[in-house]
Amino acid sequence: MFLRIDRLQIELPMPKEQDPNAAAAVQALLGGRFGEMSTLMNYMYQSFNFRGKKALKPYYDLIANIATEELGHIELVAATINSLLAKNPGKDLEEGVDPVSAPLGFAKDVRNAAHFIAGGANSLVMGAMGEHWHGEYVFTSGNLILDLLHNFFLEVAARTHKLRVYEMTDNPVAREMIGYLLVRGGVHAAAYGKALESLTGVEMTKMLPIPKIDNSKIPEAKKYMDLGFHRNLYRFSPEDYRDLGLIWKGASPEDGTEVVVVDGPPTGGPVFDAGHDAAEFAPEFHPGELYEIAKKLYEKAK
């Protein structure tokens, strides 16, 4: 089962303006072949299907725990996309929208009009070109070494896509998210590499980073490295997955410093609210009635 904390894993900067084309590019990091939906669902189903949960517990703990962190990653990427699409971030009520005036006219010229048609100016489970994420992206062979090798590849392929999207946009919201996920993805690649090393003797982490550009070269990633995030493997459970440290130990391939298991999630930052968008009928064209109903729920509970 899962617990949920109503916070993002980091604090995102507030958006200054809509940037729908950046949002379209960032979709690759959510629902693309190597996006966070893929890392989440690969590790989640591998943890569901894991054989030898007791006999091979350190490896089960590693995959299951990283899968849980990935839930927060899809939340963070979705929040970033919503930030880039938001017209009135944090605003409960937008006045004076006339549907006859074509208030969504600009959307016909953006790269992904689906954001404004299928969604209400919000994230969708798709890649950068509007292709939907699907289950064929999930690899769960049942063979521990093969699954770990796949996960190592998945993380470095995901890193490649993050770097390319970073190079596509200078939007500060997108770059903050990408900087953080470059560091966390580096941790996951190193963790799977260390797991493979313990099973095979092959020094997988010597191949890192792939591509050969250090995270320290990316200012938004270096910020989190300076805070030690590249050393931390967070244990996302009150009591379980306590054998992570049998694998996550020794030197970080990033800079040679000692890695550590941290009990509990990062402090994180507030969730994002895109606010009222009347043209999108989100949460409604005139949401006052909805707000009154919710207000009465609180009044009745007193």
Side-chain angles (χ1 to χ4, degrees), residues 10 29 52 59 78-79 97 126 183 190 210 216-217 221 228 272 282 289 299:
I10 60 169
L29 309 184
Y59 303 97
V97 173
M126 59 173 53
V183 174
I210 303 172
S216 60
K217 302 294 185 183
F272 177 74
E289 183 179 357
E299 292 173 350

Side-chain angles (χ1 to χ4, degrees), residues 201-222:
V202 178
E203 296 182 80
M204 301 290 294
T205 56
K206 286 190 174 181
M207 290 191 283
L208 298 174
I210 303 172
K212 288 291 183 184
I213 175 173
D214 292 341
N215 282 336
S216 60
K217 302 294 185 183
I218 307 298
E220 294 84 357
K222 185 177 185 301

Side-chain angles (χ1 to χ4, degrees), residues 223-242:
K223 164 185 172 179
Y224 291 102
M225 289 187 66
D226 290 344
L227 294 171
F229 279 49
H230 64 296
R231 296 191 294 269
N232 298 343
L233 187 60
Y234 298 99
R235 191 173 63 82
F236 282 84
S237 176
E239 299 297 336
D240 300 312
Y241 313 126
R242 291 190 175 275

Side-chain angles (χ1 to χ4, degrees), residues 83-127:
S83 296
L84 299 174
L85 296 172
K87 180 182 178 184
N88 303 299
K91 186 177 180 180
D92 286 337
L93 190 63
E94 178 187 23
E95 299 287 358
V97 173
D98 178 7
V100 179
S101 68
L104 294 178
F106 71 94
K108 72 181 186 299
D109 299 318
V110 302
R111 285 186 53 220
N112 191 350
H115 278 147
F116 301 92
I117 301 172
N122 53 244
S123 64
L124 298 168
V125 189
M126 59 173 53

